[in-house]
Amino acid sequence: TVYNEYRLFHKRVQREKEIFAFAENFIGRTDWDKRVVQIMAPQANYFHSEEALREPFWNHKWTVHSNRKKIIVTTVIRGLLYKGLETIYKTSALLEDILAGDFEWHVVGISEGTTYVKAARNEAGYNKKRNGVKLMGSKFGEDLVQQLLNANVYVHPSHIENSSNAVQEAMLIGMPVIATNVGGTPSLFNDGEEGILVQSKDPYAMAGAILEIIKSPANASAMGEKARKLGLTRNNNKKICTELIDTFNQVIRAKQKR
């Protein structure tokens, strides 16, 4: 239940405080987690390493849907309270009215009928007669890639985040990305270049950013190209492997000198 999840997070907070208190080395990916380590574990060393992404996202490239009337937004999130499903409902309601039915928001990773979905709909005041938001359930591999390729834009509405795999996967296949300006997300792309950052919990800003993307196919295409170029460099598996081995060797050498 949602309440059990709440209690579980309290336990995780205590566990992480204990880890920060005695850990000597951390590997992170963003400015946000580096700053957290500096405060929570001033005794520790911090090493940077990016994330390796799954193979299907390397093998496909998104193209802009300029000749299709229907606008499709895709989001990949889990059914957790801080992932922003209520913002999706609020934003979708605005866009459904403006785009007069030629709009769908596909949410991958969440299924109908859960307590979280009901709570998010109620919080958003999303009328049961509305049907713009489609909860797609879990999708993996090629199915997930095809879901992304079929969309006009990827949107990540999370209220708490570090370095979202979903954002990086969308960038790697060359999609324009809109994401909330929280946690480590600003380290993943440059606002206005590879994507757009918007305020968390602000459906008006998010809806406006989506319209900005879909009304300019040329800009969307250019943004996607830049996103893919950044992703190909950042998430290069061989480079990440080399960096990790180097980090482990640095830790070993420091240990041996003691």
Side-chain angles (χ1 to χ4, degrees):
T1 65
V2 173
Y3 179 65
N4 284 339
E5 184 182 307
Y6 170 78
R7 292 184 62 191
L8 178 60
F9 267 85
H10 269 280
K11 292 181 180 179
R12 288 175 175 168
V13 167
Q14 295 307 314
R15 182 178 63 193
E16 291 205 6
K17 283 182 177 179
E18 292 173 7
I19 292 171
F20 276 118
F22 68 77
E24 298 178 353
N25 300 283
F26 286 87
I27 297 177
R29 300 172 294 278
T30 67
D31 292 338
W32 178 80
D33 62 22
K34 182 178 182 180
R35 290 163 184 159
V36 170
V37 169
Q38 287 178 336
I39 299 301
M40 299 292 292
Q43 79 286 351
N45 300 308
Y46 181 89
F47 300 92
H48 183 91
S49 179
E50 299 293 351
E51 288 179 291
L53 300 180
R54 293 170 286 180
E55 186 176 349
F57 299 94
W58 291 87
N59 302 330
H60 298 273
K61 187 174 183 297
W62 178 86
T63 55
V64 68
H65 298 279
S66 55
N67 297 321
R68 185 178 66 189
K69 186 177 181 181
K70 178 169 284 187
I71 302 301
I72 297 177
V73 172
T74 293
T75 292
V76 183
I77 53 174
R78 292 182 293 159
L80 298 171
L81 287 173
Y82 57 85
K83 287 298 184 179
L85 181 59
E86 80 289 347
T87 304
I88 289 176
Y89 282 125
K90 292 177 182 178
T91 307
S92 183
L94 296 171
L95 292 172
E96 287 170 44
D97 292 340
I98 292 172
L99 298 173
D102 291 323
F103 174 81
E104 290 183 2
W105 196 317
H106 296 176
V107 182
V108 178
I110 299 178
S111 300
E112 289 283 1
T114 66
T115 303
Y116 177 46
V117 170
K118 294 176 183 176
R121 285 185 71 107
N122 289 337
E123 162 68 17
Y126 193 76
N127 193 300
K128 291 184 178 180
K129 294 181 180 180
R130 292 188 179 276
N131 60 0
V133 178
K134 311 290 186 183
L135 304 184
M136 313 300 288
S138 297
K139 293 186 179 294
F140 306 95
E142 291 291 336
D143 287 343
L144 177 55
V145 171
Q146 291 304 317
Q147 190 76 47
L148 294 170
L149 293 174
N150 191 44
N152 294 80
V153 60
Y154 179 83
V155 177
H156 202 72
S158 188
H159 309 314
I160 299 173
E161 198 60 77
N162 186 20
S163 56
S164 164
N165 277 16
V167 169
Q168 294 179 82
E169 288 165 351
M171 292 178 66
L172 188 57
I173 67 171
M175 293 187 73
V177 171
I178 298 169
T180 46
N181 190 354
V182 296
T185 302
S187 293
L188 299 182
F189 61 84
N190 300 297
D191 185 24
E193 294 294 325
E194 297 86 9
I196 298 176
L197 293 171
V198 298
Q199 302 93 319
S200 176
K201 302 183 182 182
D202 187 341
Y204 289 91
M206 186 169 285
I210 292 171
L211 288 177
E212 188 177 321
I213 292 291
I214 64 179
K215 286 184 176 181
S216 178
N219 185 48
S221 181
M223 195 171 282
E225 288 286 350
K226 292 177 184 177
R228 179 169 170 81
K229 183 178 179 180
L230 179 57
L232 289 171
T233 302
R234 175 181 58 214
N235 302 107
N236 183 288
N237 292 340
K238 291 183 178 179
K239 175 173 171 283
I240 292 169
C241 184
T242 300
E243 289 173 348
L244 277 173
I245 292 172
D246 181 59
T247 294
F248 296 149
N249 285 331
Q250 288 185 59
V251 172
I252 292 169
R253 287 194 295 268
K255 200 80 171 178
Q256 290 173 339
K257 291 180 180 178
R258 293 183 184 177

